[in-house]
Amino acid sequence: MRIILAGLGAGGLFAGIAVKKRNPKAKLIIVDKKDYDLLSPCGLPFAIEGIVPSFEDVVHEYHLPDIEKYMKHEVIKLDPKNKKITALHEGTKFDLEYDKLILDLGSSPFIPPIPGAFELLNKGVFTVSDIYDCSNLKKWAKPQQKAIVVGAGAIGLETAVALRHNGMEVVVIEMLDSVLPKAIDSDMADILSVHLDELGIKVMKGSRLEKINGEDKVKSVVIDGHETDTHLVVMASGVKQNCEIARTAGLEVGRFGIVTNERMQTSDPDIYAIGDCVQVKNAMDGKDWTMQLAVAAYRQGLVAGTNAAGGNDEYMGALTTFASKIGEIEVAATGYNSHFAKERGYDIFSVKAKGLTRPDWFPGAQEIVLKVIFNKKDGKIIGAQCIAPQGAAGRINVMSTAISAGFDVHRMQNIELAYCPAVSETYDVINKAADIASKKFELIKKRSV
Ligand SMILES: Cc1cc2nc3c(=O)[nH]c(=O)nc-3n(C[C@H](O)[C@H](O)[C@H](O)COP(=O)(O)OP(=O)(O)OC[C@H]3O[C@@H](n4cnc5c(N)ncnc54)[C@H](O)[C@@H]3O)c2cc1C
């Protein structure tokens, strides 16, 4: 059996492993346009910062028995009828035939159509997507000079911190009115804004970058009508899915990407798709959803690889469980935030609880804030967000599991959590939030009778 893996990203890495585990005799053919095997993109901002010492540390080799690798080969066409793909290598096209095909084509940085943005790309304007743009960006980063970061999502904020640690004056421009707007609510984002301020990073919310000036390098930018001298611009304004090849080949592409079923099959049953380029179902309500995070790609990769090799596995849907470290603060979230919950038609109520990472008498205790969003109809958890110097991701992993298990307020009150004063409080912030929510839910139920 010939299985082609088109794209070796976070999803492809696990798809290949699953193929070989399920069917060691399958011929696995990997085709990717980059000139190295694997990248850990999540490490890029930390390599710019210097916590990860070198960009070489985020690049890895990929070895599996009996595989053919075609690196520096760009897939330019799919031909589902004749079960073959066309790849381009140094100007030469050639075809490869498959029995099963797994598409792992990822996404590309979205560069808004701002005058100067494309013209000055790599001449002071940079994206944060691979080792080449990031190592150029790091070389360009000069202490005391000004950097503008466009977009206050996790990539933008992690990069802003990295540039600040490189001694730059950093301004983040965000069109919406809070930071991390897709992941957390504005009241939680305010906590993070205070920390960004402490780090000396200025955030301009509700602002627009209108123009980038310069001839052979960036000289200045225009923000909300005002021109300011600038040395460097980082475009962290989102990503666009790499779906065009699939669309042209006649595969179904929805609002959020290449349409897949729970087996990660596309509209052609011999073609699977995984990762950033796909549309999946939301794990809570089964509605169309997308999740551009490595954690979704890896699980989808395992499912697609197993199924392509003759096995039977299912992807249960995405919750968008996410974590980031912004300076000294850990931010994590899962499920819908209030905005998406309302957009999806939920009538919600939410609670916010404050706790400590350790008892107040134990050295090193720090504040932890947890916000939980519930469905008013049945009291089920539909989202959670947590911010703390440490322990936020751990709490959110518990909440993600609780959402997957369909927990409501009452079940959340009964979650049993480990305690030791060196690592936690007896009455954890999760239990506190559940108790507040229980009282609130009782009142809601009484009022609705
Ligand atoms: C700076 C940064 C930080 C991030 N931090 C986190 C994080 O902390 N946590 C988290 O969960 N996620 C994070 N992400 C997101 C995560 O990296 C992606 O969601 C994940 O890599 C997606 O995996 P994928 O397999 O879909 O695609 P990718 O890993 O992007 O791989 C796609 C592959 O397809 C190849 N390709 C594309 N088009 C073609 C073509 N036409 N022909 C041949 N090959 C092609 C590319 O070369 C690439 O190797 C981060 C992303 C970035 C950029």
Side-chain angles (χ1 to χ4, degrees):
M1 181 192 272
R2 284 172 65 86
I3 301 177
I4 292 185
L5 177 55
L8 180 59
L13 153 69
F14 288 92
I17 292 168
V19 163
K20 284 289 167 186
K21 197 170 161 198
R22 179 66 183 80
N23 184 355
K25 287 194 182 143
K27 182 92 202 157
L28 182 64
I29 300 135
I30 293 170
V31 187
D32 196 298
K33 64 181 180 182
K34 58 188 185 312
D35 60 359
Y36 50 88
D37 286 4
L38 277 169
L39 170 71
S40 295
C42 316
L44 287 169
F46 302 98
I48 298 170
E49 185 168 342
I51 295 177
V52 174
S54 151
F55 286 101
E56 280 168 26
D57 295 328
V58 296
V59 170
H60 323 282
E61 287 183 4
Y62 192 60
H63 298 291
L64 283 173
D66 192 24
I67 57 173
E68 270 175 38
K69 263 191 279 181
Y70 296 91
M71 304 314 284
K72 292 207 273 182
H73 281 67
E74 182 175 2
V75 178
I76 52 169
K77 196 178 156 202
L78 310 182
D79 179 356
K81 203 168 148 228
N82 296 302
K83 295 181 96 170
K84 61 181 188 183
I85 66 164
T86 305
L88 185 68
H89 176 63
E90 293 173 354
T92 307
K93 284 184 199 171
F94 67 96
D95 294 343
L96 287 163
E97 291 181 354
Y98 63 83
D99 295 307
K100 305 282 176 191
L101 172 65
I102 302 172
L103 298 175
D104 177 36
L105 299 175
S107 57
S108 307
F110 170 70
I111 301 175
I114 294 167
F118 285 97
E119 296 84 339
L120 291 162
L121 201 57
N122 297 319
K123 296 177 202 157
V125 176
F126 296 96
T127 52
V128 184
S129 68
D130 64 33
I131 48 167
Y132 300 115
D133 56 11
C134 289
S135 49
N136 276 339
L137 163 60
K138 185 159 177 147
K139 278 184 212 140
W140 207 275
K142 299 269 182 286
Q144 268 84 54
Q145 302 268 22
K146 189 187 264 185
I148 302 288
V149 177
V150 184
I155 295 175
L157 294 184
E158 288 174 7
T159 308
V161 171
L163 295 175
R164 186 76 189 120
H165 280 191
N166 278 271
M168 296 197 80
E169 186 192 331
V170 183
V171 179
V172 178
I173 314 282
E174 170 56 54
M175 238 163 56
L176 300 174
D177 59 4
S178 65
V179 298
L180 292 181
K182 284 190 180 165
I184 59 176
D185 291 2
S186 56
D187 55 338
M188 294 294 279
D190 287 344
I191 303 170
L192 191 56
S193 293
V194 171
H195 183 57
L196 289 166
D197 204 36
E198 285 163 359
L199 294 171
I201 295 170
K202 184 176 173 190
V203 183
M204 296 177 69
K205 297 169 202 162
S207 285
R208 239 173 226 281
L209 177 67
E210 290 163 354
K211 198 175 172 204
I212 307 172
N213 298 315
E215 287 198 352
D216 51 356
K217 60 178 186 169
V218 171
K219 275 212 156 112
S220 67
V221 294
V222 179
I223 303 164
D224 299 334
H226 300 286
E227 187 170 351
T228 173
D229 285 353
T230 299
H231 179 67
L232 186 158
V233 179
V234 177
M235 288 294 177
S237 34
V239 293
K240 55 178 179 2
Q241 286 125 322
N242 296 329
C243 303
E244 278 322 301
I245 293 173
R247 197 193 304 272
T248 310
L251 299 183
E252 192 182 347
V253 176
R255 178 182 161 204
F256 296 114
I258 303 169
V259 174
T260 55
N261 63 16
E262 63 286 350
R263 290 174 55 79
M264 301 314 300
Q265 276 165 314
T266 65
S267 52
D268 179 324
D270 290 324
I271 304 180
Y272 296 77
I274 54 177
D276 281 9
C277 63
V278 303
Q279 172 171 297
V280 289
K281 298 291 179 199
N282 187 286
M284 283 180 291
D285 54 23
K287 290 183 183 167
D288 293 340
W289 193 242
T290 185
M291 177 168 166
Q292 270 106 27
L293 288 171
V295 282
Y298 108 81
R299 178 68 199 134
Q300 293 164 7
L302 287 177
V303 171
T306 303
N307 293 337
N312 195 13
D313 199 359
E314 281 191 5
Y315 180 63
M316 311 282 283
L319 277 181
T320 320
T321 304
F322 130 99
S324 179
K325 185 90 194 268
I326 314 287
E328 300 306 315
I329 297 279
E330 219 176 276
V331 188
T334 187
Y336 290 134
N337 66 11
S338 295
H339 168 78
F340 285 121
K342 286 177 197 159
E343 195 187 77
R344 296 265 154 160
Y346 286 99
D347 190 8
I348 59 167
F349 75 98
S350 63
V351 298
K352 199 154 72 178
K354 282 185 186 171
L356 292 172
T357 52
R358 295 167 187 155
D360 55 2
W361 50 266
F362 200 92
Q366 286 171 306
E367 188 172 83
I368 184 160
V369 184
L370 175 70
K371 180 168 186 175
V372 188
I373 297 158
F374 299 87
N375 187 353
K376 263 190 193 168
K377 196 172 97 190
D378 51 16
K380 282 196 176 171
I381 312 162
I382 52 172
Q385 304 156 26
C386 194
I387 296 188
Q390 55 188 332
R395 266 52 173 215
I396 286 304
N397 287 338
V398 172
M399 297 309 294
S400 156
T401 312
I403 295 175
S404 292
F407 275 22
D408 61 5
V409 177
H410 180 64
R411 294 288 300 278
M412 185 177 159
Q413 276 183 297
N414 285 287
I415 292 177
E416 187 179 276
L417 296 164
Y419 164 67
C420 163
V423 292
S424 55
E425 276 196 297
T426 28
Y427 185 43
D428 191 81
V429 70
I430 290 182
N431 306 115
K432 282 184 191 167
D435 287 348
I436 302 168
S438 170
K439 285 183 197 128
K440 212 165 176 177
F441 190 46
E442 283 309 312
L443 281 175
I444 290 167
K445 281 198 288 190
K446 266 186 206 151
R447 273 196 220 120
S448 62
V449 175

